[in-house]
Amino acid sequence: MFYICSMNDLHVIWFRRDLRVHDHAALVAACASGGQVLPLYIFDTRHWHRPDTSGRQFDFLLESLADLDGALRKRGSKLCLRSGNAAEVLSQIHTQYGIASLHFHAASHDPEETERVQHVRSWAMKAGIPLREQAIRRAMPLTPGESETAFRHYMRQPRLNAPENLDTPDMVSEDWPVASDYGLGDDACAGRQTGGRTNGVLQLRQYLSGRGRPASKRNLSVTDRESSASGLSPYLNWGTLSDREVWQAAMRAKGALLSDGDETFAASLDAFVENLEQRSRLLTAKPRHEQVENAGLPNDIFKREMVGAADPRLAAWASGRTGFPLLDASMRCLQATGRLESELRSLLLSFATCHLWLDPTAPAQHLARLSTDFDGALFYGNARKVVGVSSHPVGQIPNPVRHSQMRDPEGTFIRKWIPEIADLPDALIHSPWDAPKSLLAEKGIVLGQSYPMRMVDHMAAARAARRHLFPEQSSHALPFGVPARPNMARRAGMSKSGRVHALPAKSVQLSFDLGGHA
């Protein structure tokens, strides 16, 4: 093959889920080449036609790309946009300009992204273009001691400074797309987080300045957990912040807190960095079982019904009209904000797959579309662990009423998102079907009209599901007051022993001055 090359030293930096100029190994390597650097982003048409992607995710991406473009322009460069198959786009650029080398970060184990990168590798090898693929050392799924050492060793390394200037060729970029260009419909999400590094840094600063202090306390309500969450998930998933930047900032803040004697906040940051490590491990874990097309879920060995959006069970569940207040409040919260804590997402998915006995694919894809922070490797990695989805189910089928009483004892979260039943007393707001008819009439609540009746008898549905999921176990219902499982403390951010990790011997200095991180 012959190429018409008008540039002899063009080094392409291919941005994907690393939308920043700071602590960016691939960008630093491209700049070190000494030639012209082309910052490139390719919209993958196939990805945005998937059934688990949405307009809210696309809009967050556009905001993140606009922020990245602004940072590049401050350095004398700009972002070049293309749309289509990555290998074909790169081939067109190489034919017209000639690519001296291609720089990018290694992919996670998301099947789609792995396939995309492999196609680019194959094309580059045939075209004779050197690949400079930067591996991010994450927590590998080895023994706990080894993985922690590797992860923390990488996290302690100095972060990479952004280049001060970039020499970029004057290359025509495609117009900025809109969601409808990829068949994505209107996706109103008034409470959605705004994309971009600038907003990610603000979230981090607010979290470390005090918002995250209560996070390590036990038995926090849904509302308290929501208000003390970092809110960093979509920024980490799109790489507007690097894991290492966030880890170092947290450890620096923790050192200061311990000096001040604030062990409560320090414990919260311990849980936070442990979650960062678990996230890193999940990104590097290869699925151990066969995948369903377009979804990283195990094949449903129980042969449940795969339904469409018109199915009344799926429609009621997806619209927050199941009649179970915590489930409905969770779904409405996710619809309005694009955010929901992972335990509640798991509860929603488990209810659909256990109590409603639906094939996991459609419910999982619906939750994925609503999640601004959707990342295939992380989302489906967590979904595969849910009782009702896992090909090796372990644990109890979650009881939506018991979880409601445990997680929202005063009904604050439920009242916020389901005003139809806000006047019910705390003791009845978790199960309005138990309320006396006289009380319902007094409050103007008509079950089945103003608020739906519960879709199923959750205890009977759980017993039926248990007979299929755990045929070797007793089908008798567990006592209502059964204590929380031992791993609840770990899921709340603590270690198995209930202790927090010790402070590393040497804390790392990191400043998040927005003026220096534009």
Side-chain angles (χ1 to χ4, degrees), residues 377-399:
L378 293 172
F379 180 87
Y380 290 116
N382 284 315
R384 288 192 293 268
K385 302 174 185 177
V386 172
V387 175
V389 177
S390 173
S391 58
H392 304 287
V394 177
Q396 302 168 4
I397 295 175
N399 182 320

Side-chain angles (χ1 to χ4, degrees), residues 187-244:
D187 190 8
C189 187
R192 176 179 65 79
Q193 292 172 281
T194 303
R197 178 179 176 83
T198 301
N199 289 292
V201 170
L202 286 172
Q203 287 282 342
L204 179 60
R205 291 177 63 180
Q206 290 170 5
Y207 178 75
L208 297 179
S209 296
R211 189 178 70 210
R213 190 175 189 277
S216 66
K217 295 180 179 178
R218 296 194 177 195
N219 302 320
L220 284 181
S221 68
V222 174
T223 303
D224 290 338
R225 285 172 64 94
E226 182 181 38
S227 63
S228 62
S230 72
L232 292 176
S233 181
Y235 303 99
L236 288 169
N237 288 353
W238 280 110
T240 60
L241 299 174
S242 75
D243 289 13
R244 181 162 57 187

Side-chain angles (χ1 to χ4, degrees), residues 317 344-354 360 363-364 367 383 386 389:
W317 173 86
L344 292 180
R345 273 190 274 204
S346 296
L347 184 64
L348 284 168
L349 185 56
S350 184
F351 181 83
T353 56
C354 294
L367 293 176
V386 172
V389 177

Side-chain angles (χ1 to χ4, degrees), residues 59 89 127 288 324 395 417:
D59 291 341
V89 169
R288 299 180 180 179
F324 290 90
W417 294 105

